[in-house]
Amino acid sequence: MSASPRGDIRRLLAVMAALRDPGGGCPWDLEQTFSTIAPYTIEEAYEVADAIDRDDLADLKDELGDLLLQVVFHARMAEEQRAFAFADVVDAISDKMVRRHPHVFGDEEVADADAQTVAWEVLKQREREARGEPDASALAGIARGLPEWQRAVKLQKRAARVGFDWPGIEPVLAKLAEEIEEVRAEFEALGAGDASARDRLEEEVGDMLFVCANVARHGGVDVGAALRRANHKFERRFRAMETLAAAEGRALENLPLEAQDAYWTRVKADE
């Protein structure tokens, strides 16, 4: 493999071609398909988000490289099938960005970022119509492969664009309280021996989480970022509990809940 200047995408493309070479490539890479690589693609996107959340730019550089490798991997497999190549991917996204930003690359004007978001959705709808897609719903084009919390927010935003939305946060919070009570009722039914309550409980928990996503949307809060923050906080506090217990010669798993809760309270107070 000939040397390429640093930063030259052709080097990465050549590396991937060598990995997928049936005559001497990597056995693992040769076994992969679009379906088997897709989970890694999703995982790498989350690792990019994690590096950003930690404000670790050195790690972000590495994670962006891993994510780019996923794009190159998919493009290489498509090229082997004579469907498209990496250059076609680059051209497609470049054309799309120019087409969807007529206020930058053309003569149109937008007042602000909110107006641009509306214009973007209108352009996407026109593109679907131009492709002859039969689905004319306001919810058309929302991918089913998205994380469900993200899909919930997108569904809500699309519905809101045609006026189907709560007028403010108070009715949303009231709806959340209603859903919590319905979840409570199914737990009680389950505890009373009603086997059919398990399916209803799943449905009611789903309704509750959907409303939680709506609460976040009304507050302009990113659900994923909020949950990552909550996870990080829980992990930080739990690890601190373990440290406190170990310093006192105690194992957390051997303590009753009341004692564990006391450590949790101490950790919160220290913060």
Side-chain angles (χ1 to χ4, degrees):
M1 184 169 52
S2 60
S4 299
R6 289 185 59 79
D8 191 334
I9 189 65
R10 288 175 294 182
R11 181 186 177 203
L12 181 55
L13 296 174
V15 167
M16 179 51 64
L19 292 173
R20 291 279 298 181
D21 183 359
C26 171
W28 185 89
D29 289 276
L30 285 166
E31 287 182 355
Q32 304 313 305
T33 65
F34 294 116
S35 296
T36 62
I37 288 297
Y40 295 101
T41 308
I42 295 169
E43 180 181 339
E44 295 300 348
Y46 275 108
E47 291 184 357
V48 166
D50 178 62
I52 293 171
D53 190 53
R54 291 183 285 105
D55 196 24
D56 189 338
L57 294 184
D59 195 32
L60 178 59
K61 177 193 69 175
D62 289 342
E63 298 300 346
L64 286 172
D66 292 343
L67 185 57
L68 176 59
L69 177 64
Q70 297 299 307
V71 177
V72 169
F73 208 142
H74 286 288
R76 178 65 195 181
M77 291 187 290
E79 185 174 5
E80 292 166 359
Q81 297 179 21
R82 292 181 170 81
F84 59 83
F86 182 79
D88 301 308
V89 175
V90 174
D91 284 343
I93 189 59
S94 298
D95 291 344
K96 181 186 292 184
M97 289 300 99
V98 171
R99 184 172 65 249
R100 291 188 180 175
H101 292 83
H103 56 292
V104 176
F105 303 102
D107 299 327
E108 293 189 18
E109 296 182 2
V110 292
D112 51 30
D114 289 340
Q116 166 56 18
T117 299
V118 173
W120 179 276
E121 292 295 339
V122 170
L123 287 168
K124 286 174 64 176
Q125 177 64 30
R126 289 175 182 170
E127 289 171 5
R128 289 193 292 270
E129 292 172 354
R131 290 194 298 266
E133 295 184 11
D135 190 353
S137 170
L139 306 180
I142 299 177
R144 294 187 177 274
L146 290 170
E148 294 302 336
W149 62 262
Q150 189 174 0
R151 192 161 187 268
V153 173
K154 282 184 173 289
L155 288 167
Q156 293 164 7
K157 285 182 176 179
R158 288 287 191 86
R161 279 171 44 203
V162 298
F164 190 70
D165 195 11
W166 300 104
I169 189 58
E170 288 305 323
V172 187
L173 293 175
K175 183 64 176 177
L176 179 58
E178 175 187 325
E179 296 297 346
I180 290 173
E181 288 306 311
E182 291 178 359
V183 168
R184 190 193 312 278
E186 296 308 334
F187 266 109
E188 291 174 354
L190 196 62
D194 183 354
S196 64
R198 177 70 63 185
D199 183 66
R200 298 197 304 273
L201 178 61
E202 179 181 287
E203 182 176 354
E204 296 301 343
V205 168
D207 291 345
M208 179 180 68
L209 294 174
F210 190 83
V211 178
C212 284
N214 221 334
V215 170
R217 181 179 65 86
H218 273 265
V221 172
D222 181 271
V223 179
L227 191 53
R228 280 196 303 274
R229 186 172 180 177
N231 287 340
H232 177 67
K233 180 168 61 177
F234 178 84
E235 181 179 9
R236 182 182 69 245
R237 289 178 175 176
F238 189 85
R239 289 178 180 273
M241 288 168 59
E242 292 176 316
T243 300
L244 284 175
E248 296 176 356
R250 310 170 81 184
L252 204 61
E253 62 268 23
N254 295 331
L255 298 175
L257 180 58
E258 294 79 5
Q260 292 182 352
D261 219 17
Y263 280 121
W264 179 269
T265 302
R266 285 172 59 185
V267 169
K268 286 182 64 178
D270 288 343
E271 290 183 352

